[in-house]
Amino acid sequence: MKNSKGFSLIELIIVIAILAILSTGAVAGLSKIRYANTKKCANELNTLIEKGRMQAMSKAGTWYLYVYKTSDGVYYKITKETTTPTDGNLLAGNSISIKFQKDGASSEETLTAGSNPIKLKFSKNTGGLLEESVTGGAAYYKYIKVIGSSTYKIELNKLTGKHFLSKG
């Protein structure tokens, strides 16, 4: 027999099959990571709203939760400041989009870099949401959506400050 120095057809087919299985697993894994990041961001925002409520009810003064976007991503800060902070904590990267709708508005808005932030103002007595002055009057936020590879919606109750996270 001659000493062959190449691959047989069967060896080549087996290698291609193994690569196909591994690449399918990698694609599925990446989509789960993106899904998890969207879900993580929505859960964290939901927790921050509750933290803002509790802060307002337990400490003196008026407390705000700011959610704002820069070119680097989406940031948040719970503070007594009445102006948009510039030293918040990173909530999500640029792959996450935040949309919201104000009470009485006919359509939802998208949070963009340089735009007005989402500014939730909490009542000391009830933890409910207070009207916040915005361009053209005052408004409550009806809901906030976190959009990535999936969508999560946080519905806000203005009277009690309770909020409900749901998928979609």
Side-chain angles (χ1 to χ4, degrees), residues 65-86:
L65 168 62
Y66 290 91
V67 180
Y68 59 97
K69 187 163 182 134
T70 67
S71 59
D72 299 336
V74 179
Y75 289 82
Y76 74 90
K77 186 167 186 180
I78 297 174
T79 182
K80 292 172 101 176
E81 299 172 22
T82 57
T83 58
T84 305
T86 56

Side-chain angles (χ1 to χ4, degrees), residues 68-69 84 100 110-118:
Y68 59 97
K69 187 163 182 134
T84 305
F100 58 90
T110 302
L111 188 63
T112 58
S115 69
N116 288 332
I118 293 173

Side-chain angles (χ1 to χ4, degrees), residues 109-127:
E109 300 176 47
T110 302
L111 188 63
T112 58
S115 69
N116 288 332
I118 293 173
K119 183 179 180 183
L120 299 178
K121 182 178 179 183
F122 300 97
S123 166
K124 170 108 176 111
N125 299 330
T126 64

